[in-house]
Every structure is written in structure tokens, then in C-alpha cells.
Amino acid sequence: KPMEGRISDIGPRHFGEYLPPVIKENFGKWDYHEIIESGILLHVAQSGAKTYTVRAGTARLMSVTHIREICDIADKFSGGYVRFTTRNNLEFQVETEEAAKELKKYLNDQKFPGGAHKFPVGGTGAGVTNIVHTQGWVHCHTPATDASGTVKATMDVVFDEFTSMKLPAPVRISMACCLNMCGAVHCSDIAILGIHRKPPLLDHKFLDNLCEIPLAVAACPTGAVRPSKIELDGETYKTVAVKQERCMFCGNCYTMCPSMPLADKDGDGIALMVGGKISNRITKPAFSKVVVPFIPNEPPRWPTMTKVIKKILDTYAADAHKYERLGDWANRIGWERFFEKCDLPFSEHLIDDFRDPAYYTWRQTTQFKW
Ligand code: SF4
Ligand code: SF4
């Protein structure tokens, strides 16, 4: 029986405490919403109450100073309330359309010393949304590429499509820096995916001291890792062996065992996937398909990757019907035409099962084969 007055939950405070009053009062009782203009949404409740939301992109990784700046904007315009969306946007809610437009102008006027926008307003409707992305070289252990760098470089080339709604339909771009895909790139219109192409290196002399060998063995989804012994400089070391042809370069073993790193300057890079979506509007949800099997890492601006993404986006924008998502457009014109129109070479890595002549077709894969 819970004890009266005793705090038994030491997790975060309930989110309901932080909802703006209009959201609290109409929780679960919303009638409809519409997009007034790029970056401004109107939600209308069954009670007739209205709230206008202004959405602005962020860099996601922020300094405390920058967060204080955001809080000051919330204090000034939206009663001290602000929300972060899963796509790293900020949302401020105001009471009238005039107030929303005034806030949009204010946010668009905020610039960094070099002139770049601090809080560009957009990310709604038939435009590019801010990118869902992962950690990359900043603080994860298995990335094959950087997340922040690739996202910044991409958002810079699609900035016009973020701040306007002139595309045929929404375009969701996502980024994950390894196959573990915590960026959920497998259902995105355009997906940037970091991939390794080499199996883990084995640091035999340290492996048994740094790792629990059974955990490293159990971590491998393809059963490529087994316990082993090795003679080095006259000493016997307990270690592991990796069956290379079974390895799919996922990095799970490295998660368990720091003596099995697989980051590699030449092996690591990016695959691009397109055509996925979660929405079931008009057509069923779909997985993204690999259209570029490998682009080398080119920090800090990833010029090859951004050029390909821009070309795909521009070709889609010019060629698709209204309301047609990127994958629906490629399905309608045929994937052969997609590759031709986007100036992309087609390789065996993009075919469902290249080893079987019966499947030498233009069907696309969500698998990675090297
Ligand atoms: Fe780490 Fe992979 Fe997630 Fe990137 S996608 S943050 S490397 S687990
Ligand atoms: Fe197994 Fe993945 Fe490690 Fe390869 S990278 S050995 S597939 S856990």
C-alpha cells in the first residue's frame, strides 16, 4: 500500500505540469489543425479554443547560453512555454495569428554573427522537415560517420525547402550513423546512413582483460564471433575469432568489447536510401531503399553526399505529382527512370539478390551487401 505523502517515483516530473493552459484544458479533445503558412500551425479544439504554433529549427546540440535565449523568447512571446519536437524543432504557442506572425518574424531575424539563422521558421507541410538524427562522432561508440556534420551540411543545401512548402508533399530526411539506426532512417523519404565496410579489428593482447568474452560472442547477431586462443610473443592469450564472411559490420561486438573496434578511414562512409514513409496516406507505409551504396566521409561539408541529396530532391520536386511522396513518385515512374533522372549509377549492391540470376531485376533492397 503506498505510504501517504511519500515520493516513490524518482523519475522526471509529470509532463502535464508543463503544458500550456490551452493544451491542458483541451487535452485529447482537438478537432482539427491546419497550416496557416510555412512554420505556423493552427489547432482548433472541440471547445472552439484555438492555439497557433510557431515552429523553428534548431541545431539540437546546444549550449546553456543558447537554451537561456530560447527560454527568454518563450517568456517574451508564449507565456514561458516552449516544446522540443522529436525532429529537433522548437515550438512556441501563441493565441492569435497576428502574434504568430510577429513571433515568426522575430525568430527569423535572430542571426549568428556570420549572418546564419539561429531559429529559422519552417519544417511544416510540403517541405523538408528538420532531420531526425543520431550522435555520430560526438558521443557514440559505433558511428561510421558524423551525425551533426552531415545534418548541418544537408540542412544548408535544403534550407529553402525547409522554410517553404513548395514541394509536392512532405519530405522527411533522417540520419543514422551506423546500422543500429537509432535515427530510424528505414522509413524516410531520404535517409543518410553511416556504414562500416570492414569487420572488427581484434586487439588480442588486451581483449580478455577489457571484455567479457561470452558477452562479445552473444552480441553478434550473425554468430560470427567465437571464443578462441592465440599465441603471441610466446604467450597464450584468451581472445575471440571472427568469421569474416559472416560479419555484416554492425558494430554490436564493439558495443560489448572495446578491443573489437571497426572504425576505419577507408571502410567507413555513407549509404543513401530513399522512398520510405510511415504515413498510410494514399499508399501504404514503405521501407527506404538503398540508392547510393557508398559515399566516402568528406568532413566537414560532405560535398558529394549533399550534391546527390539535392539532385534527388530537385528532380522529385520537378517531376512528381502534387501530394506524391518521393517513394510513390519513384514507384510510378519506375526505379529505372528514378536512377536515370537522378543521374545515379545502378550497381549490384542495389538489387534484391544479386547472387541469383533469377533476380537480376531492378527491384531494390533494404539489405546491405558488399
Ligand atoms: Fe550510435 Fe549507431 Fe545510434 Fe549512431 S546510429 S548514435 S553509431 S548506435
Ligand atoms: Fe558480428 Fe556485427 Fe561484430 Fe560483425 S560487427 S562480428 S556481425 S557483431
Side-chain angles (χ1 to χ4, degrees), residues 134-136 140-144 147 175-183 193:
T134 53
Q135 319 302 336
C140 194
H141 55 286
T142 50
M175 193 286 152
C177 39
C178 85
L179 292 192
N180 290 326
M181 285 196 195
C182 53
L193 180 62

Side-chain angles (χ1 to χ4, degrees), residues 207-244:
L207 198 139
D208 190 32
N209 290 331
L210 282 170
C211 317
E212 295 285 353
I213 288 178
L215 288 183
V217 171
C220 180
T222 63
V225 183
R226 64 175 168 79
S228 181
K229 284 191 180 153
I230 195 165
E231 292 282 337
L232 287 173
D233 304 328
E235 282 199 52
T236 306
Y237 292 92
K238 276 213 257 175
T239 182
V240 296
V242 172
K243 196 164 197 175
Q244 306 223 339

Side-chain angles (χ1 to χ4, degrees), residues 198-200 216 219-225 242-244 246-254 260 262:
K198 293 188 180 178
C220 180
T222 63
V225 183
V242 172
K243 196 164 197 175
Q244 306 223 339
R246 277 200 184 181
C247 179
M248 62 177 186
F249 326 129
C250 66
N252 275 4
C253 51
Y254 183 57
M260 301 178 72
L262 73 170

Side-chain angles (χ1 to χ4, degrees), residues 170-174 185-192 272-279 283-291 312 316 324-331 335 338 364-366:
V171 171
R172 306 260 184 250
I173 306 182
S174 305
V185 301
H186 52 289
C187 293
S188 304
D189 295 278
I190 299 177
I192 304 164
L272 291 180
M273 303 163 81
V274 305
K277 66 178 185 120
I278 299 170
S279 157
T283 55
K284 286 190 285 188
F287 284 121
S288 313
K289 303 168 197 310
V290 180
V291 295
I312 294 172
Y316 158 72
E324 204 168 41
R325 293 286 287 259
L326 205 152
D328 295 335
W329 161 66
N331 280 334
W335 285 92
F338 168 86
Q364 302 302 296
T365 183
T366 50

